[in-house]
Structures are given as C-alpha cells and as structure tokens.
Amino acid sequence: MRKYIEFARVQMQVHAAYSAWFWANTFSILLRMLVIYFFWKAVYSSRTEIEGLPFDGMITYIIIAMFLQMFVSGVGQELAHTIKDGNVAIELMRPYNLITRLVAMDLGDKIIHFVRGALPLSILAFIFMDITLPTTWQAGLLFLISAFMGIWIGTFFDLLIAILAFWTINLWGLQVMKEAVISFFSGALVPLILFPEWFQTISLFLPFQAMVYVPVAIYTGILSGTEAWLALGSQVFWAVSLFVLLRVLWTIAIKKVTIFGG
C-alpha cells in the first residue's frame, strides 16, 4: 500500500509543477461558470421555478454537477495509451498492479485539482453566484458519501472503456462518445427531472445517473429521505458490478499480452 501512496504523492507534485496549465484550466472553468450563471439567469427572468426548482436551486445543481463531473473520469486515457504503445507488457512485469497504480496516480491528480482548483472556485460560486448549502447536515454528509461513490463508478467505467484498447485499433472515437453519453445521461448538463418520463426511466437502468445526478440531487434536496437512501443503494450496486466486470475483463485482456515470447 505504501508504494501506491507514494505514486499518488509524486503525481500531486508533478501536477502542481505545471502552473501555466493550472491557471489556463482555472480560467476556463471560471468562464464556464459565468456562462452557466447568466444563461440560467436569463431563463428564469420570466418565471420563478422550473419543475419545482427555483433559480438558486437550479444554479446550485448545475454548478455542483459541473464540479463533480470533473472528477468522474480521467484515469482511462493513460491506460489506453499504455496499451496502444505496447508498454503494458513492461508494466505487467513490474512489482505492482498496473490498475491500482493508475488509480493511485489519478487519486493524486484529483486531490491536487480539488485543493488548487475546485475548492477556491466553489468558494467564489458560494459568494457571488447564489449557490446554496444543503438544507440539513445529514443531506450534506449523504452527499459526500454519494459523491465519493459516483467518482468511483466513473473511474471504473472509464477503465472499462480503456481496456477495450486491447481489441480496437483506435479508441479515440469511443472515448469521445463516452464523454458525450456521460454528460447527457448523468444529469451533468441539466437535472434528469427536466427530461421526459421515458428518458428518466431509461436512465434508472444505466450507471451514468449514479455518477453525477444522484449525489447532486441529494445535495439540492431533489432526492431526500427514503428516495435518497435507495439511490445510494443503487450506487453501491453499480460500483460493485462495474468493479467485478473490470476485474473479469482485465483478466481476459492481459491473456492477449505476449511478453518475450511467453
């Protein structure tokens, strides 16, 4: 375990060293926040609520969902690159588990990104953009648990897509489609309650809503009480299912690797 903690620590140092990239990324996020804020302000100019959500509830949902979406993927691209350039054979001979190493490095990335980027920007959002806090401390605690589960679900799904690089010539198109599907079906763009009933029903049988919509809906009070606990249970189901599928697919995939003719 110590070596994986060290991987995470080193990755945090590497990430912190690129200050130009950090400021460019921070500026792009801030610009996106401003666009979202003024867009929904214009939408609410002639109404007080949409599907029971007032302006402060809607803008809170969209901003929190935007931040959370930043953390639900990212590790898969490195794995796919390692597979396609053939370095996976060398990595499998080293004294660590490749998947665990990548997850540890991704965790380091996420920690430094949260501390240096998401946290300061969220504080600005609370001060200047009418973002509200959860109505109760229980809802806030449940949100943190749910957000943690959503991040793991997104990580497992990202790795599953990356492993397909063993069987595909070019994974770029599939990764682009994955990001689009996650943004649409996870409720990261708009709350799922704004979609038709048939769309919401379909979303219930997919893992994407467990990545973003469930934690943010708990935060904003869209889901509360029994509904919130049932939604959290669905997240546990998807986390376990995707983890098992990941282990099975990885076991099958590495059998395709030939190391020094073995």
Side-chain angles (χ1 to χ4, degrees):
M1 178 59 69
R2 182 176 299 176
K3 57 188 172 186
Y4 298 115
I5 295 175
E6 186 65 18
F7 279 129
R9 187 185 66 81
V10 171
Q11 190 66 16
M12 291 171 65
Q13 293 177 334
V14 171
H15 187 90
Y18 292 95
S19 57
W21 179 91
F22 162 73
W23 287 113
N25 186 59
T26 300
F27 177 77
S28 66
I29 296 172
L30 182 59
L31 185 62
R32 183 180 174 187
M33 288 169 56
L34 290 173
V35 171
I36 289 172
Y37 178 81
F38 288 110
F39 170 80
W40 284 104
K41 197 172 184 64
V43 171
Y44 274 87
S45 61
S46 59
R47 66 192 73 187
T48 58
E49 63 179 39
I50 300 175
E51 292 294 332
L53 281 177
F55 172 72
D56 59 347
M58 181 64 76
I59 199 66
T60 297
Y61 177 97
I62 298 298
I63 295 296
I64 298 298
M66 182 192 75
F67 281 124
L68 187 57
Q69 188 186 16
M70 298 175 188
F71 294 93
V72 298
S73 62
V75 69
Q77 186 173 1
E78 179 66 23
L79 176 60
H81 181 71
T82 302
I83 294 170
K84 297 308 294 184
D85 63 14
N87 285 335
V88 64
I90 299 174
E91 291 290 339
L92 290 174
M93 292 189 295
R94 289 176 174 166
Y96 51 69
N97 182 281
L98 174 59
I99 296 292
T100 307
R101 178 182 74 84
L102 291 174
V103 171
M105 294 175 64
D106 186 56
L107 180 61
D109 268 336
K110 284 179 169 59
I111 291 174
I112 196 68
H113 181 64
F114 174 79
V115 173
R116 296 186 63 188
L119 184 59
L121 288 174
S122 62
I123 293 174
L124 289 176
F126 277 106
I127 296 174
F128 298 108
M129 295 186 176
D130 303 319
I131 304 299
T132 59
L133 291 171
T135 54
T136 64
W137 68 267
Q138 293 93 337
L141 179 60
L142 199 60
F143 161 74
L144 292 177
I145 298 172
S146 182
F148 180 78
M149 294 296 298
I151 290 171
W152 278 115
I153 292 169
T155 300
F156 294 152
F157 186 79
D158 201 27
L159 287 169
L160 279 169
I161 297 298
I163 292 174
L164 297 180
F166 277 106
W167 292 278
T168 59
I169 297 176
N170 191 339
L171 200 64
W172 179 82
L174 190 58
Q175 289 177 325
V176 171
M177 184 177 69
K178 177 210 67 176
E179 293 297 329
V181 169
I182 289 177
S183 296
F184 194 65
F185 282 93
S186 70
L189 299 178
V190 294
L192 293 180
I193 58 173
L194 300 186
F195 288 97
E197 289 291 335
W198 62 266
F199 184 89
Q200 296 182 45
T201 302
I202 292 175
S203 298
L204 291 175
F205 295 96
L206 299 174
F208 310 112
Q209 50 88 27
M211 299 177 189
V212 177
Y213 175 74
V214 169
V216 183
I218 291 173
Y219 183 101
T220 55
I222 297 174
L223 294 176
S224 60
T226 304
E227 287 185 334
W229 285 105
L230 289 174
L232 189 61
S234 72
Q235 286 186 295
V236 174
F237 167 79
W238 282 115
V240 173
S241 299
L242 291 177
F243 176 76
V244 172
L245 183 59
L246 173 64
R247 300 304 302 178
V248 171
L249 189 61
W250 178 248
T251 301
I252 295 173
I254 59 177
K255 292 180 180 179
K256 295 176 62 65
V257 180
T258 301
I259 303 176
F260 298 125

